[in-house]
């Protein structure tokens, strides 16, 4: 697939995010530079490190949304983490290396999906063969092996990860003819609702101890992979059973050593880590000496961004060429409150602008799945056509802007609060209304919201 140019990346971001053109441009350039670097000689590639980005701006202006949409746009391992989840080494909480392990997991998931797509046809054929055998079982034969041989065969099968050995069966001419008939019906999709009993691997139960160990930086998932998988019987329609059998066959057909090697390579060369809320780990305003040191968290993050090698269950993952994008509101602090070494690792700075009334109007109408389009679709499910007049949209945007100025400025998130209050009655009555059209006018908006906007105490609690 052809690599997207910076202009194409910005165009895709424009579908979901209003304004913030400078931030979109810088992110698009940083992403495309990964492709440029991959075209260079290998000895030069080593010296070209990514130019990490620090985005600063008020809450609700699109910093996190850029990260969310990037994950859909880039065909590279991408993880978003909250800086506030991490704690200094020696305290209970997620250690900073877990972000790199998360990136490795995401890379494996992407490569695994690609490899599964290559063997899907073969897996489907094998799954259909298994379904035919289950729908028309053969005649069970008495196995005359002695008990010792049976036990040995069982142990060999379990150790090789194949589960319990299958019982021996005899395929008579009658069974063979029935299977041919069933195979033909399966091919034509006539048995999709027939029920069949299959054996599937039991889902891993959540282990609180494993989560606690993970917080202390110990990856316990590798231990669970060594344990033999327990199989359970489930009765399902053929259509659902086929999906599970295809997954099982795909796991058998792919080479996991090659997948892990490819995933580590991809994560290290084109991985992206988005660190949100980075302003919350600045030392500004930290008074209580008993708190976990925020500066300590920064010092723990520093070597990962500078370039180090992190051990994952798939192998060592160097972080030298991972792109880091950090974002924060910096309402009670400023980027210069970060430790100097960390500031130096984010050479590209971009400030996102606070939203104006015109931006709110665009946010309500323009994005691909804008808020207004979402509410129109929700009420369409009740057979109600919801229509907003241009004046009503203008008034909603004006109220959102005024409330943000008069109370805490929470950016575009204010629109969701206002629309919920405005449409409360319509959403409640919607299922009981007859098919018809509801038009939201400027007068309706004023009637529903003006009193609340005028009363500052009500505004604080309701909007």
């Amino acid at each position: 697939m052809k690599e997207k140019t910076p202009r194409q990346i910005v165009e895709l971001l424009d579908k979901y995010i209003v304004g913030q053109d400078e931030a979109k441009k810088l992110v698009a350039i940083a992403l495309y530079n990964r492709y440029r670097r991959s075209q260079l000689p290998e000895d030069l590639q080593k010296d070209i490190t990514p130019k990490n980005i620090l985005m600063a701006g008020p809450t609700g202006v699109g910093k996190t949304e850029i990260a969310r949409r990037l994950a859909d746009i880039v065909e590279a391992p991408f993880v978003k983490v909250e800086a506030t989840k991490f704690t200094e080494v020696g305290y209970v909480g997620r250690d900073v290396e877990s972000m790199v392990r998360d990136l490795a997991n995401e890379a494996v998931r992407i490569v695994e999906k690609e490899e599964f797509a290559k063997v899907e046809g073969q897996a489907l054929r094998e799954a259909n063969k298994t379904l035919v055998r289950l729908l028309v079982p053969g005649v069970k034969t008495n196995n005359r092996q002695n008990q010792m041989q049976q036990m040995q065969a069982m142990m060999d099968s379990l150790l090789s990860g194949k589960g319990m050995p299958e019982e021996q069966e005899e395929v008579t001419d009658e069974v063979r003819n029935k299977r041919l008939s069933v195979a033909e019906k399966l091919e034509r999709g006539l048995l999709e609702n027939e029920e069949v009993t299959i054996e599937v691997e039991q889902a891993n139960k959540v282990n609180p101890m494993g989560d606690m160990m993970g917080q202390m930086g110990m990856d316990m998932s590798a231990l669970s992979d060594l344990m033999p998988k327990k199989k359970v019987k489930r009765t399902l329609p053929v259509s659902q059973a086929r999906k599970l059998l295809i997954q099982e066959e795909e796991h058998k057909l792919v080479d996991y050593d090659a997948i892990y090697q490819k995933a580590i390579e991809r994560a290290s060369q084109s991985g992206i880590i988005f660190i949100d809320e980075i302003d919350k780990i600045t030392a500004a305003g930290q008074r209580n000496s008993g708190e976990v040191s925020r500066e300590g968290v920064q010092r723990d993050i520093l070597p990962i961004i500078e370039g180090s090698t992190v051990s994952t269950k798939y192998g060592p993952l160097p972080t030298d060429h991972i792109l880091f994008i950090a974002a924060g509101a910096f309402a009670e602090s400023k980027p210069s409150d970060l430790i100097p070494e960390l500031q130096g690792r984010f050479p590209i700075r971009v400030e996102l602008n606070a939203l104006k009334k015109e931006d709110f109007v665009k946010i309500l109408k323009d994005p691909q799945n804008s808020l207004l389009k979402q509410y129109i679709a929700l009420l369409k499910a009740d057979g109600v056509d919801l229509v907003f007049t241009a004046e009503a949209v203008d008034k909603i945007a004006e109220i959102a802007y005024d409330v943000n100025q008069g109370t805490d400025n929470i950016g575009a998130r204010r629109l969701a609060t206002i629309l919920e209050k405005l449409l409360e009655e319509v959403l409640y009555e919607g299922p009981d209304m007859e098919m018809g059209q509801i038009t939201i006018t400027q007068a309706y908006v004023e009637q529903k919201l003006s009193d609340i906007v005028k009363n500052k105490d009500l505004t604080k609690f309701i909007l």
Side-chain angles (χ1 to χ4, degrees):
M1 193 176 286
K2 194 175 182 295
E3 195 72 22
K4 293 180 183 71
T5 64
R7 191 181 295 278
Q8 288 170 333
I9 293 168
V10 169
E11 283 170 4
L12 287 167
L13 288 171
D14 281 340
K15 289 182 182 177
Y16 303 101
I17 300 153
V18 170
Q20 314 305 354
D21 296 331
E22 191 186 352
K24 289 178 196 168
K25 266 187 187 175
L26 288 173
V27 166
I29 291 166
L31 290 179
Y32 194 73
N33 277 345
R34 323 299 297 283
Y35 170 72
R36 287 186 174 118
R37 177 178 165 273
S38 68
Q39 306 303 303
L40 301 176
E42 204 166 310
D43 58 330
L44 186 55
Q45 282 187 31
K46 290 176 186 173
D47 293 329
I48 298 176
T49 55
K51 303 299 179 282
N52 299 324
I53 301 168
L54 178 63
M55 295 194 290
T59 185
V61 296
K63 299 185 299 294
T64 308
E65 191 64 18
I66 286 173
R68 277 186 60 223
R69 298 305 173 183
L70 273 183
D72 298 332
I73 292 169
V74 299
E75 288 151 13
F78 178 99
V79 292
K80 174 183 171 291
V81 296
E82 307 284 330
T84 47
K85 294 265 179 78
F86 302 116
T87 61
E88 194 179 1
V89 171
Y91 290 84
V92 175
R94 293 198 79 188
D95 74 304
V96 293
E97 288 187 354
S98 63
M99 69 171 92
V100 182
R101 289 195 288 271
D102 290 345
L103 187 72
N105 289 335
E106 180 61 16
V108 168
R109 187 192 66 77
I110 291 169
V111 176
E112 188 181 54
K113 190 178 175 184
E114 290 171 1
E115 295 302 312
F116 283 173
K118 292 176 187 174
V119 297
E120 192 176 5
Q122 192 180 344
L124 175 62
R125 289 192 293 275
E126 292 299 324
N128 280 334
K129 284 181 190 175
T130 306
L131 282 171
V132 169
R133 287 199 298 272
L134 292 168
L135 289 165
V136 187
V139 179
K140 295 283 186 292
T141 57
N142 288 326
N143 194 343
R144 298 187 180 278
Q145 284 182 317
N146 63 41
Q147 201 170 0
M148 201 68 186
Q149 287 173 315
Q150 286 180 5
M151 186 68 74
Q152 183 65 43
M154 193 184 297
M155 288 302 294
D156 289 345
S157 189
L158 282 170
L159 288 171
S160 63
K162 294 175 183 173
M164 294 290 285
E166 292 180 7
E167 290 183 39
Q168 297 294 313
E169 60 175 27
E170 184 185 341
V171 181
T172 62
D173 289 340
E174 185 186 354
V175 169
R176 192 175 289 107
N177 290 334
K178 275 187 183 177
R179 283 184 176 178
L180 286 169
S181 171
V182 165
E184 190 185 337
K185 286 179 181 175
L186 266 180
E187 197 74 35
R188 288 159 56 193
L190 301 175
L191 302 175
E192 296 300 285
N193 296 321
E194 285 283 318
E195 290 206 329
V196 62
T197 301
I198 61 170
E199 277 194 343
V200 292
E201 285 181 5
Q202 189 176 32
N204 290 331
K205 291 178 182 174
V206 176
N207 183 1
M209 274 302 289
D211 190 48
M212 195 182 296
M213 293 294 185
Q215 286 191 342
M216 291 190 287
M218 297 168 68
D219 192 354
M220 301 300 288
S221 54
L223 284 176
S224 63
D225 291 344
L226 296 173
M227 301 293 288
K229 299 283 190 291
K230 186 180 176 184
K231 293 211 166 191
V232 290
K233 287 189 176 181
R234 288 178 65 189
T235 302
L236 300 162
V238 163
S239 57
Q240 290 180 30
R242 185 187 288 110
K243 287 177 186 173
L244 292 176
L245 290 170
I246 286 172
Q247 285 175 15
E248 204 171 276
E249 290 299 331
E250 284 172 341
H251 280 91
K252 291 178 191 171
L253 291 166
V254 297
D255 177 1
Y256 269 95
D257 286 339
I259 285 175
Y260 296 155
Q261 194 175 344
K262 195 173 175 183
I264 289 290
E265 177 67 17
R266 191 175 298 187
S268 66
Q269 296 302 315
S270 59
I272 302 167
I273 295 179
F274 186 98
I275 307 173
D276 209 358
E277 309 287 3
I278 198 162
D279 57 312
K280 306 300 187 293
I281 58 164
T282 59
Q286 183 173 9
R287 298 179 190 88
N288 187 354
S289 58
E291 288 180 19
V292 175
S293 164
R294 295 177 189 176
E295 196 169 299
V297 178
Q298 292 182 56
R299 293 198 182 281
D300 288 345
I301 289 176
L302 183 61
I304 290 173
I305 297 177
E306 280 182 334
S308 59
T309 301
V310 175
S311 295
T312 73
K313 63 180 178 180
Y314 312 111
L317 173 53
T319 66
D320 306 69
H321 293 100
I322 292 173
L323 173 65
F324 289 88
I325 304 173
F330 291 99
E332 296 174 7
S333 59
K334 48 193 183 297
S336 58
D337 290 329
L338 293 166
I339 59 173
E341 300 93 325
L342 196 59
Q343 288 179 51
R345 291 294 162 184
F346 288 94
I348 301 174
R349 309 280 177 88
V350 58
E351 190 168 342
L352 282 80
N353 307 314
L355 300 173
K356 300 179 181 135
K357 182 197 157 186
E358 298 74 32
D359 296 322
F360 283 124
V361 173
K362 288 178 185 173
I363 290 165
L364 284 168
K365 296 191 304 183
D366 293 351
Q368 190 162 313
N369 293 313
S370 67
L371 277 169
L372 293 189
K373 289 171 189 170
Q374 290 173 31
Y375 280 105
I376 289 165
L378 283 170
L379 280 158
K380 193 79 176 169
D382 294 328
V384 177
D385 287 327
L386 187 64
V387 178
F388 290 86
T389 66
E391 294 78 18
V393 174
D394 242 40
K395 190 66 184 173
I396 294 166
E398 186 186 315
I399 290 171
Y401 180 76
D402 289 344
V403 172
N404 270 350
Q405 297 307 304
T407 59
D408 292 327
N409 188 346
I410 60 169
R413 295 187 180 96
R414 184 72 67 191
L415 289 170
T417 317
I418 287 172
L419 282 170
E420 273 297 320
K421 188 64 191 167
L422 174 68
L423 299 174
E424 185 178 19
E425 204 65 36
V426 178
L427 291 166
Y428 181 75
E429 298 289 352
D432 303 317
M433 290 180 183
E434 292 181 8
M435 302 269 285
Q437 182 176 295
I438 294 174
T439 303
I440 304 295
T441 61
Q442 182 179 345
Y444 183 82
V445 174
E446 287 173 350
Q447 178 202 330
K448 284 284 178 186
L449 300 175
S450 286
D451 289 344
I452 297 171
V453 172
K454 284 173 191 169
N455 187 326
K456 294 296 177 191
D457 292 331
L458 277 177
T459 303
K460 284 177 185 174
F461 289 102
I462 297 174
L463 297 181

